[in-house]
């Protein structure tokens, strides 16, 4: 480095600004600033996270996906040419030429051109409605076309194909088909039994899977109309995504006379040098030892190898583990090590539960000492630790089946497993962070959280797959160092939520400051303040607005904050029943204050876009008309949905609306670790969707069935049956106990479903507590619930009636009448909408 | 020396009374056309002021954020109500790993009057 700075700096030119090309720049800059770096990218955007590309459909923007900001390139003096393809390498003059006419001399050239989607040659691939799945632009095209399509298909049942298929489902296509040429899905990663289980799971998600199908042509005129298969069958589709594999982008290298493989790829040695020693190739375009590595982690390792050599260091690429975990939401799929070895080279242990859709296979060396690889479908929690066990040749326990059997011992095993890993075990393969790096960050630098670790050494910032393992390692290292660990609230309170709940209750603590003085340290934060606020509310049901600065964002102003800083207003409409007069009032208020109105998924009406300072006036008018707070902002009871029931419906067995209103009014306003939702249906047709709620009540011939611990949201889970054919009084009694038990024992921000999933003994334990009083606490739970029910007050009414509390709802404290001038709206379908941010 | 220089360049503007800002919380004050978030860290007897705009999505909301402290040094901080990015009240630096930087202002309390120092 020293001698270099005396001379003219040498120029490193990178062709391709994809994930690996970007990572190379980052890695080189971390080592030296002695080079002049020039980057050419063919895509219009600077490098983004292709691995998480599908999240673009779930609301992530191109900016969110970017690997770094454009400023980053500027700050690091990287010359970045975007939307410019390199078309020629002149190796004798050591200069490259771009499509836009730029000529750039180089001392070292790094080809990081990645790969393109492989499109098989067949008639019709050029038709409109046929896509590939590789870039943000591809996704834009797919999204636009999907709007007018009903049926879609994906050609290819591999890792990427399934991801694309899930995307089509999410885009709202009525039918999505997957066409696979091989006799099974993900043929490169999983065995046929695993594939069968995966197929069943995918079909339950609504995918239609066709195996052993060879597509011969694409039907239709200008637009695709269907697929023609070799077996003379056809399938009608409106759009097709081709995901039949990748093709390394070696055209530039080939033209320059560099050695390439017969099936594509730029041939490199263990230093990533091509047949020209000043030209390197890394990432998905590089062919090492006859193999293309189609994953990001090996690409990053290649980048590290080149960056190290350019700084005169020693590092060689020696192949890379190709284990993978599928990110398909809703189905866990993982394969690691050698998933396919069979007897006589190994023995396999297989666990299969067709009911739950779980298949696990591990392959063990004949002497029983080592794990060779395996497949996990339906439950891949053990993936990380099993992968580590293979990679580090850890000696197996005497009963290796424990590794995949039962969730009960699972967690304890995982923890213990982490300890037995050697220090050099690679934990975060994206950022090449080893176990030793993580443990020493804990011991020497006092890093105690995953967030801290990310900042310290980037572990977990890549694909994120190692985060659970990083967490376990931090935990175990702290424990080994003699620090006692539990699920504490935050750095200010060394207690779990349940412990804190009991302490505050026993000591009759009523304010946050008191709690902090007695049981905490420091000045609190955004984690412990809302947690304590919620506990205090569950215990004493005092006016929330009195301690408003400890409440979470939405609770502080008794309203949900929106883009732009306005708030929403949601009056309670119990059971979804509302009189015409009240509907009129909502309309009038909305008009007067310029609010957007929408019927919510919870059977009530949300009014959006209220200025902070208008909130008390709006509520005052609503309260005068007989409304009360709907607690849409609180970790509290939201809605109890109802179906119309026996009063009108020809199938209704009992009056579900009356029961829903009764239950909603009983539990309204009660604060809990997370929000609570309920539903009451008048018969098994279940129009109120009660089984997707924290509690659901369904009428039977003889009474009511009570279900608990269901959840919608991102991880939907059906509620489970707690009691059958009970009468209303028993139902309320069980609900009192159930809810109060949840409030007393759950961790902060844990819905009932997650609470149950973590509960040792699960549903049978819960039943025993609630129905058989196995803990002997039911009298107490009922009394506590009755206390909360009797002390109910509408918190908005308290605010509206108190000038002091009203004062808190001003944007400018020194100009309370003025509204925030930065709030701005657009219009859409004759109503306002928040401006995009 | 340096402190004196800064002191001289600052113009103290009376913005509100101490009890206009909730204890251990913040409020927004208007100084000309500028929105400034003012925090009454009553637990520590300290006052802080930063820009009201959260740099993450350019939202005028930091005054509605929750304040607290972090680490062994009890660095005072504010958490944005939108996505909970946190910022040091001393330096304005983003504490959740991004490169954001808040503008901070000196605060002076005399009796029940609160002043903010504007350059
Ligand atoms: C308005 C509404 C959407 C709509 O237009 O229909 C809505 C809007 C919001 N939902 Fe929801 N949810 C709404 C029904 C639902 C439903 C459907 C239902 O209740 O039947 C679900 C799935 C069912 C469930 O909860 O199990 C739902 C699952 C969520 C979740 C995920 C919860 C989970 O356990 O995974 C969140 C995030 C959270 O609470 O942490 C959320 C959070 C939010 C927040 C509060 C986000 C926020 O913090 O700003 C949204 C702002 C509302 C606002 O500004 O007023 N919303 N949300 C619905 C209001 C219902 C109501 O009347 O109160
Ligand atoms: C939907 C999807 C999901 C994926 N999921 C995973 C996953 O879960 N795990 C995983 O490990 N991997 C995954 N991958 C693969 C991963 O994205 C790739 O391994 C990684 O992007 C390879 O990086 P690269 O830089 O080699 O290639 P790329 O990211 O493709 O970048 C190459 C860049 O070079 C440009 N380029 C090519 N030729 C030229 C030229 N002549 N001049 C200028 N520029 C040029 C290209 O336009 C491109 O921008 C996924 C890929 C996709 C598409
Ligand atoms: S309303 Fe609910 S689902 Fe819709 S964007 Fe907001 S949080 Fe997400
Ligand atoms: S707007 Fe402040 S954290 Fe996102």
């Amino acid at each position: 480095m020293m001698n270099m700075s005396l001379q003219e700096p040498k120029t490193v030119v990178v062709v391709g600004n994809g994930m690996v090309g970007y990572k190379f720049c980052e890695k080189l800059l971390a080592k030296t600033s002695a080079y002049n770096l020039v980057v050419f990218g063919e895509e219009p955007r600077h490098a983004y996270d292709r691995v998480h590309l599908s999240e673009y459909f779930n609301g992530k923007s191109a900016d969110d996906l970017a690997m770094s900001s454009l400023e980053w390139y500027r700050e690091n003096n990287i010359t970045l040419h975007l939307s410019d393809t390199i078309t020629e390498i002149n190796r004798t003059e050591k200069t490259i030429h771009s499509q836009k006419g730029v000529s750039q001399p180089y001392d070292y050239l790094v080809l990081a051109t990645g790969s393109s989607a492989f499109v098989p040659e067949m008639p019709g691939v050029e038709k409109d409605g046929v896509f590939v799945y590789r870039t943000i632009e591809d996704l834009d095209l797919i999204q636009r076309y999907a709007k007018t399509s009903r049926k879609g298909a994906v050609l290819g049942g591999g890792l990427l194909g399934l991801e694309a298929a899930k995307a089509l489902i999410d885009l709202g296509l009525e039918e999505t088909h997957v066409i696979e040429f091989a006799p099974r899905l993900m043929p490169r990663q999983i065995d046929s039994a695993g594939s069968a289980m995966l197929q069943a799971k995918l079909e339950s998600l609504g995918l239609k899977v066709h195996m052993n199908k060879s597509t011969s042509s694409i039907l239709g005129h200008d637009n695709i109309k269907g697929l023609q298969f070799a077996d003379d069958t056809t399938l009608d589709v409106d759009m097709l995504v081709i995901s039949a594999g990748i093709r390394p982008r070696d055209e530039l290298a080939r033209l320059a006379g560099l050695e390439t493989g017969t099936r594509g790829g730029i041939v490199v040695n263990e230093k990533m040098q091509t047949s020209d020693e000043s030209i390197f190739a890394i990432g998905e375009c590089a062919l090492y030892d006859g193999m293309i590595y189609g994953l990001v982690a090996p690409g990053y390792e290649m980048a590290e190898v080149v960056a190290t050599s350019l700084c005169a260091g020693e590092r060689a690429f020696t192949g890379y583990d190709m284990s993978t975990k599928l990110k398909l939401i809703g189905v866990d799929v993982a394969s690691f090590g050698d998933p396919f070895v069979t007897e006589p080279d190994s023995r396999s242990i297989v666990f299969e539960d067709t009911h739950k859709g779980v298949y696990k296979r591990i392959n063990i060396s004949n002497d029983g000492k080592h794990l060779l690889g395996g497949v996990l479908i339906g439950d891949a929690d053990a993936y990380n630790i099993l992968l580590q066990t293979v990679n580090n040749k850890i000696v197996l326990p005497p009963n290796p089946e424990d590794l995949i059997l039962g969730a009960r011992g699972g967690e304890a095993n995982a923890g213990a497993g982490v300890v037995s890993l050697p220090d050099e075990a690679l934990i975060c393969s994206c950022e090449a962070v080893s176990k030793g790096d993580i443990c020493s960050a804990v011991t020497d630098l006092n890093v105690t959280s995953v967030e801290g670790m990310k900042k310290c050494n980037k572990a977990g910032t890549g694909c994120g797959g190692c985060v659970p393992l990083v967490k376990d390692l931090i935990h175990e290292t702290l424990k080994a160092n003699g620090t006692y660990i539990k699920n504490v609230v935050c750095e200010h309170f060394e207690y779990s939520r349940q412990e804190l709940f009991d302490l505050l209750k026993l000591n009759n603590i009523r304010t946050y400051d008191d709690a902090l003085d007695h049981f905490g340290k420091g000045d609190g934060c955004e984690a412990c303040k809302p947690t304590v606020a919620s506990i205090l509310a569950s215990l004493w049901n005092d006016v929330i607005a009195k301690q408003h600065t400890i409440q979470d964002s939405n609770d502080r102003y008794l309203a949900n904050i929106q883009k732009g800083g306005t708030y929403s207003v949601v009056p309670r409409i119990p059971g979804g029943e509302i009189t015409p007069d009240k509907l009129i009032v909502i309309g009038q208020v909305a008009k007067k204050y310029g609010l957007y109105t929408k019927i919510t998924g919870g059977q009530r009406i949300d009014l959006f876009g209220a200025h902070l300072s208008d909130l008390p006036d709006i509520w005052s008018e609503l309260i005068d008309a007989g409304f009360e707070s709907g607690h849409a902002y609180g970790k509290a009871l939201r809605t109890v949905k109802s179906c119309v029931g026996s009063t009108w419906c020809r199938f209704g067995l009992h009056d579900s609306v009356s029961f829903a209103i009764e239950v909603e009014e009983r539990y309204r306003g009660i604060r809990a670790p997370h929000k609570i939702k309920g539903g009451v249906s008048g018969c098994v047709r279940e129009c109120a969707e009660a089984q997707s709620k924290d509690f659901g009540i369904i009428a039977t011939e003889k009474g009511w069935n009570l279900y608990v611990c269901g959840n919608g949201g991102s991880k939907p889970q059906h509620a489970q049956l707690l009691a059958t054919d009970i009468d209303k009084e028993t139902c309320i009694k069980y609900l009192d106990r159930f809810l109060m038990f949840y409030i007393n024992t759950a961790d902060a921000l844990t819905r009932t479903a997650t609470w149950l999933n973590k509960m040792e003994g699960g549903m049978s334990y819960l039943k025993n507590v609630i129905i058989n009083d196995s803990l002997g606490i039911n009298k107490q739970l009922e009394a506590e619930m009755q206390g909360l029910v009797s002390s109910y007050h509408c918190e908005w009414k308290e605010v509206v009636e108190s000038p002091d509390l009203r004062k808190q709802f001003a944007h400018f404290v020194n100009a309370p009448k003025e509204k925030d001038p930065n709030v701005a709206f657009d219009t859409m379908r004759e109503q306002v909408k928040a401006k995009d941010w | 020396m340096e402190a004196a220089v800064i002191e001289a360049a600052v113009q103290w503007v009376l913005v509100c009374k101490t009890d206009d800002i909730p204890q251990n919380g913040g409020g927004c004050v208007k100084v000309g056309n500028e929105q400034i978030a003012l925090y009454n860290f009553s637990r520590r007897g300290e006052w802080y002021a930063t820009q009201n705009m959260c740099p993450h999505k350019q939202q005028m909301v930091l005054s509605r954020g929750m304040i607290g402290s972090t680490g062994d040094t009890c660095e005072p901080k504010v958490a944005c109500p939108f996505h909970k990015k946190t910022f040091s009240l001393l330096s304005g630096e983003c504490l959740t790993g991004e490169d954001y930087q808040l503008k901070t202002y000196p605060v002076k309390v005399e009796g029940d009057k609160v002043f903010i120092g504007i350059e």
Side-chain angles (χ1 to χ4, degrees):
Chain A
M1 238 168 70
M2 284 274 247
N3 53 4
M4 264 188 234
S5 57
L6 298 174
Q7 311 156 2
E8 186 72 350
K10 292 204 166 170
T11 299
V12 176
V13 176
V14 184
V15 184
N17 186 226
M19 298 185 77
V20 174
Y22 165 80
K23 193 51 88 176
F24 167 75
C25 297
E26 193 189 285
K27 284 179 181 287
L28 185 66
L29 285 166
K31 296 181 202 298
T32 176
S33 51
Y35 288 105
N36 176 19
L37 251 180
V38 184
V39 177
F40 285 84
E42 174 189 79
E43 292 185 65
R45 295 165 208 279
H46 54 292
Y48 54 88
D49 184 353
R50 210 179 297 287
V51 170
H52 293 102
L53 191 62
S54 295
E55 291 178 21
Y56 189 65
F57 286 146
N58 302 334
K60 280 237 166 125
S61 66
D63 274 355
D64 293 333
L65 289 174
M67 305 285 296
S68 72
S69 61
L70 269 179
E71 283 86 77
W72 180 86
Y73 292 90
R74 235 171 282 139
E75 280 162 13
N76 288 293
N77 295 321
I78 300 175
T79 314
L80 179 64
H81 299 267
L82 291 178
S83 303
D84 201 4
T85 311
I86 296 302
T87 48
E88 191 197 335
I89 308 174
N90 184 333
R91 286 166 54 196
T92 31
E93 282 171 21
K94 283 191 146 191
T95 300
I96 56 169
H97 302 285
S98 84
Q99 195 164 39
K100 287 188 183 164
V102 181
S103 295
Q104 169 69 50
Y106 66 84
D107 294 293
Y108 297 103
L109 183 63
V110 179
L111 301 176
T113 49
S115 59
S116 55
F118 167 64
V119 178
E121 271 180 42
M122 75 172 86
V125 284
E126 73 293 340
K127 291 193 199 312
D128 280 354
V130 180
F131 303 93
V132 296
Y133 199 84
R134 177 92 199 164
T135 64
I136 290 190
E137 284 67 31
D138 293 335
L139 267 63
D140 279 335
L141 293 173
I142 291 174
Q143 190 162 28
R144 220 169 303 142
Y145 206 85
K147 290 208 173 108
T148 54
S149 303
R150 258 178 6 93
K151 288 179 168 188
V154 173
L155 198 66
L159 201 71
L160 286 183
L162 295 181
E163 197 171 316
K166 179 67 170 60
L168 290 188
I169 295 185
D170 290 346
L171 283 174
L173 291 192
E174 279 166 37
E175 261 181 40
T176 301
H177 299 262
V178 172
I179 320 290
E180 171 58 52
F181 177 72
R184 59 173 196 261
L185 292 169
M186 296 181 67
R188 293 160 59 119
Q189 289 90 8
I190 61 180
D191 58 0
S192 48
S195 161
M197 186 70 79
L198 175 61
Q199 186 180 351
K201 277 247 159 187
L202 291 174
E203 281 169 353
S204 73
L205 282 179
L207 269 185
K208 301 204 169 14
V209 182
H210 310 264
M211 241 84 80
N212 290 313
K213 280 274 184 201
S214 145
T215 313
S216 50
S217 68
I218 293 172
L219 306 172
H221 257 297
D222 297 341
N223 297 332
I224 177 174
K225 289 273 179 295
L227 299 174
Q228 170 73 51
F229 301 116
D231 60 5
D232 273 352
T233 53
T234 58
L235 176 71
D236 289 349
V237 294
D238 308 319
M239 64 187 295
L240 175 71
V241 176
I242 297 183
S243 178
I246 56 172
R247 163 119 326 157
R249 304 256 329 241
D250 58 9
E251 66 273 10
L252 185 61
R254 204 178 283 264
L255 204 67
L258 297 175
E259 188 185 346
T260 52
T262 38
R263 292 170 56 216
I266 308 169
V267 175
V268 292
N269 63 15
E270 76 288 346
K271 295 267 173 216
M272 310 319 294
Q273 269 162 329
T274 64
S275 50
D276 177 334
E277 62 176 25
S278 44
I279 304 183
F280 298 84
I282 56 179
E284 275 188 354
C285 63
L287 184 69
Y288 172 77
D289 203 10
M291 171 140 174
I292 293 287
Y293 289 82
L295 293 176
V296 71
Y300 283 4
E301 174 59 21
M302 295 176 186
E304 177 69 31
V305 169
V306 178
T308 308
S309 322
L310 289 183
C311 295
E314 280 294 324
R315 194 172 180 117
F317 187 79
T318 52
Y320 212 86
D321 177 64
M322 291 296 280
S323 305
T324 36
K325 197 169 158 191
L326 185 64
K327 303 168 303 244
L328 248 190
I329 315 144
V331 192
D332 275 2
V333 180
S335 109
F336 54 94
D338 186 344
F340 300 124
V341 276
T342 47
E343 284 170 18
D345 302 323
S346 73
R347 38 201 188 93
S348 295
I349 301 177
V350 172
F351 167 82
E352 195 167 349
D353 177 343
T354 43
H355 177 61
K356 284 199 176 139
V358 174
Y359 170 84
K360 300 180 185 181
R361 161 179 168 176
I362 49 175
N363 308 320
I364 293 172
S365 61
N366 280 323
D367 58 8
K369 285 216 176 95
H370 299 293
L371 186 61
L372 303 176
V375 175
L376 303 170
I377 313 281
D379 168 13
D381 286 354
Y383 169 72
N384 273 316
I385 193 70
L386 292 178
L387 173 61
Q388 292 291 342
T389 308
V390 175
N391 287 352
N392 298 294
K393 303 208 168 45
I394 292 178
V395 176
L396 290 175
N399 304 315
E401 62 274 16
D402 288 353
L403 293 173
I404 51 168
L405 286 182
R408 305 192 112 252
E411 239 169 280
N413 276 343
V418 165
V419 178
S420 60
L421 294 177
D423 270 355
E424 10 2 300
L426 198 57
I427 303 296
C428 172
S429 38
C430 297
E431 293 292 337
V433 186
S434 69
K435 175 186 169 191
D437 298 336
I438 290 175
C439 296
S440 65
V442 175
T443 310
D444 307 331
L445 306 170
N446 293 321
V447 176
T448 56
S449 66
V450 174
E451 281 314 307
M453 198 58 76
K454 284 182 178 173
K455 269 191 246 168
C456 177
N457 50 28
K458 293 198 151 189
T461 54
C463 70
C466 63
V467 166
L469 211 53
V470 173
K471 210 172 187 169
D472 279 344
L473 269 176
I474 297 176
H475 203 93
E476 293 299 323
T477 314
L478 285 170
K479 214 155 79 185
N481 293 352
T483 323
Y484 171 56
I485 307 294
K486 57 186 162 188
N487 218 353
V488 299
V489 172
C490 69
E491 59 176 296
H492 305 107
F493 286 93
E494 304 265 311
Y495 299 101
S496 68
R497 179 186 177 276
Q498 185 180 351
E499 287 168 327
L500 199 55
F501 187 97
D502 292 338
L503 282 170
L504 301 189
K505 181 168 154 189
L506 288 173
N507 293 283
N508 195 22
I509 302 285
R510 285 168 187 262
T511 67
Y512 174 79
D513 271 343
D514 253 6
L516 192 57
D517 291 341
H518 283 87
F519 306 109
K521 60 167 196 256
D523 309 299
C525 68
E526 68 283 0
C528 59
K529 284 184 173 182
T531 304
V532 170
S534 154
I535 295 175
L536 293 175
S538 294
L539 285 173
W540 320 118
N541 221 359
D542 207 354
V543 179
I544 295 284
K546 278 193 190 153
Q547 292 190 61
H548 65 294
T549 57
I550 58 166
Q551 309 293 339
D552 214 344
S553 314
N554 290 339
D555 256 331
R556 173 158 183 199
Y557 295 104
L558 303 174
N560 288 327
I561 191 166
Q562 265 98 37
K563 277 183 178 174
T566 62
Y567 288 85
S568 71
V569 171
V570 190
R572 188 166 294 292
I573 299 179
E577 185 185 85
I578 185 164
T579 61
D581 280 338
K582 281 186 159 175
L583 274 175
I584 290 171
V585 172
I586 290 193
Q588 284 165 339
V589 169
K591 264 185 149 172
K592 177 164 170 192
Y593 294 93
L595 308 175
Y596 164 83
T597 52
K598 178 179 184 300
I599 311 284
T600 72
Q603 295 188 338
R604 48 191 187 173
I605 300 170
D606 200 339
L607 297 83
F608 293 85
H611 281 272
L612 182 59
S613 49
D614 281 342
L615 285 174
D617 295 339
I618 293 171
W619 274 105
S620 158
E621 295 192 27
L622 290 170
I623 287 168
D624 283 346
F627 285 106
E628 58 182 357
S629 169
H631 301 96
Y633 45 80
K635 302 297 175 223
L637 180 78
R638 293 286 167 89
T639 61
V640 179
K641 274 174 84 164
S642 75
C643 73
V644 64
S646 61
T647 48
W648 292 95
C649 175
R650 65 196 166 116
F651 295 116
L653 293 171
H654 311 301
D655 181 358
S656 44
V657 178
S658 299
F659 200 14
I661 295 175
E662 182 181 341
V663 174
E664 179 158 344
E665 292 189 333
R666 182 170 180 80
Y667 302 119
R668 65 189 164 184
I670 289 172
R671 292 302 204 275
H674 207 308
K675 61 190 176 196
I676 309 169
K677 300 178 176 185
V680 183
S681 280
C683 80
V684 285
R685 286 170 193 77
E686 247 282 71
C687 299
E689 301 170 309
Q691 287 168 94
S692 67
K693 304 293 176 217
D694 298 274
F695 59 85
I697 304 169
I698 301 175
T700 66
E701 297 282 350
K702 299 186 194 126
W704 305 90
N705 282 352
L706 174 60
Y707 294 80
V708 293
C709 300
N711 207 150
S714 58
K715 269 203 173 158
Q717 184 168 322
H718 276 146
Q720 297 181 38
L721 188 60
L722 181 76
T724 316
D725 294 330
I726 49 178
D727 58 20
K728 267 182 157 183
E729 290 65 39
T730 314
C731 188
I732 297 223
K733 190 164 70 184
Y734 287 173
L735 271 178
D736 279 4
R737 297 172 183 176
F738 163 71
L739 291 173
M740 209 61 221
F741 186 48
Y742 164 64
I743 291 171
N744 283 341
T745 60
D747 276 336
L749 297 182
T750 304
R751 288 286 290 271
T752 55
T754 320
W755 171 65
L756 179 68
N757 295 346
K758 285 190 191 159
M759 192 179 289
E760 212 153 309
M763 194 60 199
S764 47
Y765 174 80
L766 185 64
K767 258 191 196 161
N768 236 342
V769 174
I770 304 297
I771 299 178
N772 306 327
D773 202 8
S774 59
L775 298 179
I777 54 171
N778 283 347
K779 280 251 134 22
Q780 184 200 334
L781 293 177
E782 285 168 34
E784 285 170 357
M785 180 53 87
Q786 194 51 51
L788 292 179
V789 171
S790 331
S791 60
Y792 167 78
H793 48 257
C794 169
E795 48 211 29
W796 262 113
K797 188 153 184 268
E798 313 269 353
V799 171
V800 166
E801 288 171 355
S802 150
D804 263 0
L805 295 181
R806 282 183 89 123
K807 204 179 130 187
Q808 294 166 6
F809 294 80
H811 182 69
F812 295 113
V813 300
N814 57 350
K817 293 241 148 50
E818 274 181 50
K819 294 180 175 157
D820 178 3
N822 285 60
V823 169
F825 300 107
D826 285 335
T827 37
M828 189 186 219
R829 290 185 293 276
E830 296 161 56
Q831 295 205 68
V832 289
K833 94 180 196 20
K835 271 231 183 308
D836 278 343
W837 58 16
Chain B
M1 264 307 275
E2 214 178 340
V5 175
I6 291 171
E7 188 76 6
V10 155
Q11 187 196 339
W12 291 101
V13 180
L14 171 64
V15 291
C16 63
K17 297 279 181 57
T18 47
D19 61 4
D20 286 335
I21 308 293
Q23 301 220 331
N24 296 308
C28 172
V29 294
K30 198 176 167 198
V31 178
N33 280 329
E34 214 170 338
Q35 297 198 17
I36 298 178
L38 179 61
Y39 311 93
N40 175 5
F41 214 141
S42 49
R43 190 181 166 79
R44 300 166 38 145
E46 293 164 3
W47 288 78
Y48 296 98
T50 68
Q51 68 190 56
N52 193 30
M53 184 198 280
C54 175
H56 175 223
K57 293 281 180 185
Q58 285 77 47
Q59 301 286 302
M60 282 294 183
V61 287
L62 288 177
S63 57
R64 305 181 201 166
M66 208 175 290
I67 60 174
S69 70
T70 181
D72 293 336
T73 55
C74 278
E75 173 116 345
K77 63 169 184 174
V78 60
C80 174
F82 274 106
H83 311 98
K84 300 282 155 69
K85 302 208 182 285
T86 58
F87 304 91
S88 161
L89 292 176
L90 291 174
S91 64
E93 183 195 339
C94 178
L95 301 171
T96 24
E98 277 111 328
D99 283 340
Y100 302 119
Q101 174 70 41
L102 296 186
K103 186 167 171 194
T104 58
Y105 304 79
V107 185
K108 176 163 93 174
V109 177
E110 280 170 9
D112 65 350
K113 296 194 178 70
V114 188
F115 300 83
I116 292 183
I118 310 281
E119 278 172 37

